[in-house]
């Protein structure tokens, strides 16, 4: 069952246009969102969170339009759009105290679990964290309120290989619990490990939105990896 639907969203900037972007997210599946820098991934994700106001189109979650049910929807989803850049001199404990007041479903046990898993110290401040630890802190907030959907922009960016594997294993565990995950990444090997579906965007347009197996069968050549397919498609698009 589709739990998120993005229908014909458009956003025009002076030098870029998101053009009739449409796709859906299947409940309880991991979807990888791929495309080169500037292709429209972050604009699409921010549009899905109403952080960017689209020129046209519609976005629905749980059958509810985002435009009319934003507060209710955001209490049921978790999202991370890059590293933490707010309250850099407050401690993690102080930031969490404020954040959890916005979520009736905040789960203190889950928070403590992920705090330990990610090796975060509540007395530290974001300004004191490495880029990888900032990503983990953002994910900690997204995972601590029983979110039914996770929307993550480059969640493995800045993580060492061990931490990335740990995070991908967590994604697989969450999928088993029925959580829907969309995450953008440039690290296509991560998608090889855990993605069920692929959305491929190029120059502001969706070129594919299908299962990973269908993507590789449709666009791949003999023995090509997902990364090799992606790189070839991008080269061909610019030749």
């Amino acid at each position: 069952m589709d739990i998120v639907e993005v229908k014909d969203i458009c956003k025009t900037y002076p030098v870029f246009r998101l053009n009739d972007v449409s796709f859906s997210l299947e409940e309880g599946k991991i979807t990888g969102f791929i495309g080169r820098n500037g292709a429209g991934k972050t604009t699409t994700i921010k549009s899905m969170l109403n952080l960017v106001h689209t020129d046209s189109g519609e976005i629905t979650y749980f059958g509810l339009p985002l435009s009319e049910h934003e507060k209710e929807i955001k209490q049921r989803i978790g999202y991370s759009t890059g590293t933490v850049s707010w309250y850099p001199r407050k401690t993690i404990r102080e930031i969490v105290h404020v954040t959890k007041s916005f979520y009736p479903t905040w789960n203190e046990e889950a928070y403590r679990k992920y705090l330990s898993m990610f090796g975060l110290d509540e007395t530290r401040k974001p300004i004191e964290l490495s880029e990888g630890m900032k990503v983990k802190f953002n994910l900690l907030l997204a995972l601590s309120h029983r979110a039914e959907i996770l929307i993550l922009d480059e969640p493995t960016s800045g993580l060492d290989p061990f931490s990335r594997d740990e995070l991908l294993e967590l994604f697989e565990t969450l999928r088993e619990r029925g959580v829907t995950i969309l995450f953008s990444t440039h690290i296509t090997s991560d998608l090889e490990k855990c993605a069920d579906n692929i959305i491929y965007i190029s120059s502001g347009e969706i070129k594919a939105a299908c299962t990973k197996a269908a993507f590789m069968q449709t666009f791949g050549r003999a023995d090509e990896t997902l990364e090799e397919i992606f790189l070839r498609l991008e080269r061909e698009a610019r030749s």
Side-chain angles (χ1 to χ4, degrees):
M1 185 180 89
D2 293 335
I3 197 167
V4 181
E5 291 190 18
V6 176
K7 298 179 182 177
D8 301 321
I9 63 171
C10 297
K11 178 66 178 178
T12 301
Y13 294 101
V15 295
F16 174 76
R17 175 174 168 80
L18 202 64
N19 190 35
D20 291 329
V21 165
S22 298
F23 58 84
S24 59
L25 300 183
E26 199 175 347
E27 185 174 6
K29 300 292 185 181
I30 298 174
T31 299
F33 195 15
I34 61 173
R36 66 184 299 163
N37 286 339
K41 298 188 305 298
T42 296
T43 301
T44 300
I45 286 176
K46 287 186 175 180
S47 297
M48 294 174 69
L49 301 170
N50 207 26
L51 300 175
V52 163
H53 299 295
T54 59
D55 301 327
S56 59
E58 184 179 11
I59 300 164
T60 62
Y61 293 80
F62 318 106
L64 304 172
L66 177 63
S67 58
E68 299 172 22
H69 300 271
E70 183 174 356
K71 180 179 178 181
E72 176 185 348
I73 287 168
K74 285 189 173 180
Q75 288 181 337
R76 298 175 66 183
I77 68 175
Y79 53 91
S80 172
T81 55
T83 59
V84 175
S85 58
W86 30 266
Y87 302 134
R89 298 184 185 279
K90 296 290 186 180
T91 66
I92 288 175
R93 181 182 292 115
E94 290 171 317
I95 295 169
V96 167
H97 178 71
V98 172
T99 301
K100 67 182 182 181
S101 66
F102 292 98
Y103 295 102
T105 55
W106 182 272
N107 187 320
E108 193 67 19
E109 183 178 348
Y111 166 69
R112 292 293 165 189
K113 171 185 172 183
Y114 295 125
L115 186 73
S116 174
M117 178 184 295
F118 294 153
L120 287 163
D121 180 348
E122 285 187 303
T123 66
R124 300 287 297 278
K125 302 171 183 178
I127 199 171
E128 300 171 335
L129 301 178
S130 68
E131 291 306 306
M133 294 304 282
K134 288 178 183 177
V135 171
K136 287 183 176 182
F137 177 39
N138 231 9
L139 286 168
L140 170 70
L141 298 179
L143 289 166
S144 294
H145 61 91
R146 294 177 175 170
E148 299 166 61
I149 300 169
L150 292 176
I151 300 174
L152 310 170
D153 194 6
E154 300 283 351
T156 58
S157 175
L159 299 182
D160 61 78
F162 180 82
S163 295
R164 275 176 36 222
D165 280 344
E166 193 174 52
L167 185 60
L168 296 178
E169 289 176 6
L170 173 60
F171 286 174
E172 292 174 333
T173 299
L174 293 169
R175 174 178 57 192
E176 291 170 4
R177 297 177 185 171
V179 176
T180 302
I181 300 172
L182 171 71
F183 76 101
S184 68
T185 184
H186 291 291
I187 308 171
T188 50
S189 59
D190 289 350
L191 303 181
E192 301 253 23
K193 293 177 182 177
C194 71
D196 301 296
N197 302 316
I198 298 290
I199 298 169
Y200 169 43
I201 189 169
S202 182
S203 300
E205 297 184 352
I206 300 296
K207 302 299 184 181
C210 55
T211 66
K212 181 174 64 179
F215 181 86
M216 298 189 74
Q217 182 175 7
T218 301
F219 297 100
R221 296 174 180 172
D223 299 322
E224 278 188 321
T225 65
L226 186 59
E227 180 175 9
E228 289 168 339
I229 295 170
F230 170 61
L231 292 174
R232 177 173 52 78
L233 290 174
E234 285 297 310
R235 284 194 297 267
E236 291 172 354
R238 281 152 180 76
S239 63

